[in-house]
Every structure is written in C-alpha cells, then in structure tokens.
Amino acid sequence: MEAAAALGRSLTAIRPDQVRFVFRPKPATAIQQEADAYTRSARQANMLDQEVEPFEPTPYMLAFTYVDEAGVRHTHQCGDWETHTAFWKWRQSYGEERTLQMLKEKYEGEYVKKGVAFILGTLAKRPKQWTLLGVVRLDKGSYQTGFSF
C-alpha cells in the first residue's frame, strides 16, 4: 500500500501472507445504520438507473488479517460483495455457524494454498485509508496473468 501511495495510486493488489478470516456479530444499531445508508444512497438514483434491490446487511463484521512483506500484521474489514453474497447464499442451506466456518475454510485453506490476492483501494473521502475492495482467487505462477505476481 505504501509503495502504491508513493506512486500516487489509489488501487493496488497484494499477495498477503498468514491470512486469517475473522468475524464477529454486529450490534443491531450498526446493522440498522448500514441499511439506512443503503436506502439513502438508493434514493439518489436518476431516471436512467434501474430500481435498486432491497439490501439486508450481513449480521457479522467480516474481516481479514494478514502479514505484509515487511512482517507487519494488518486487519481490513471485508468490502468484497462476493463474500457477503456467499454468506447469504450458503446461510440458506447450511445455517450461520456452518457458513462462517465454510468461509473460513475457503479463504484460509483453498485460497491460501492455491493463491490469493487482495485488491485494496482508497476512497475519495478517505484518500489515506486503504480499504479491502476484493478477495481474488489468483493461482500462483505466471501462466495465468502473463506476469509473475
């Protein structure tokens, strides 16, 4: 992140080490604040936008901790919509407890073993704060992307 910032960039991808998927229940007030913020944002649509689907916030704070190449541990709240979507989809079939365990196994097991990249970016309102925007299963090696990452 520091190297990307030094180059004036607001988006970067990293290969994290010692990845841990963590979660904890959100307070009801936090869930309501997220739902309200989404509702306010959806109201700002113009006549060319499609109607926005109702949004139910994930009842857990989902985050990743990892170690960077300098050996520093970081924690980023998960802003990856696919992780939250997987939570809701799997919860229907497996329940909350099993779903959280499955997500932990997926990210700490399969993704770490085969290759994972975190997409981090800054937002206009917080240009110095890096946010975890995406979690990508990106196999290790140069065959997939044409460059070694």
Side-chain angles (χ1 to χ4, degrees):
M1 293 172 288
E2 291 81 10
L7 293 170
R9 302 220 171 103
S10 61
L11 186 69
T12 191
I14 64 166
R15 285 266 193 207
D17 193 23
Q18 300 177 32
V19 174
R20 294 290 171 256
F21 177 74
V22 295
F23 52 88
R24 71 173 192 272
K26 289 179 189 171
T29 54
I31 294 170
Q32 188 59 54
Q33 287 172 348
E34 284 182 47
D36 292 346
Y38 185 83
T39 299
R40 282 191 305 275
S41 178
R43 278 192 227 130
Q44 296 175 9
N46 66 42
M47 67 181 190
L48 301 176
D49 290 332
Q50 291 184 358
E51 190 70 24
V52 177
E53 294 288 323
F55 172 73
E56 184 178 357
T58 308
Y60 291 88
M61 184 282 303
L62 307 177
F64 288 89
T65 70
Y66 65 94
V67 173
D68 67 17
E69 63 185 13
V72 177
R73 181 158 293 279
H74 300 272
T75 301
H76 286 284
Q77 189 166 336
C78 181
D80 176 49
W81 69 269
E82 290 171 323
T83 299
H84 292 272
T85 299
F87 171 85
W88 288 114
K89 182 177 178 185
W90 290 353
R91 189 182 91 153
Q92 292 175 351
S93 299
Y94 305 107
E96 281 186 11
E97 188 175 319
R98 179 66 185 127
T99 292
L100 293 166
Q101 188 58 41
M102 288 169 61
L103 287 167
K104 189 169 187 64
E105 291 167 1
K106 174 71 70 179
Y107 290 123
E108 292 182 15
E110 176 188 337
Y111 276 45
V112 168
K113 180 180 176 186
K114 294 184 178 180
V116 63
F118 286 169
I119 309 303
L120 298 156
T122 61
L123 305 174
K125 291 181 181 180
R126 295 186 180 94
K128 303 248 187 248
Q129 179 182 344
W130 289 86
T131 302
L132 177 61
L133 302 174
V135 181
V136 180
R137 214 330 272 294
L138 184 63
D139 291 357
K140 297 173 186 170
S142 61
Y143 64 90
Q144 191 173 33
T145 59
F147 61 91
S148 186
F149 181 84

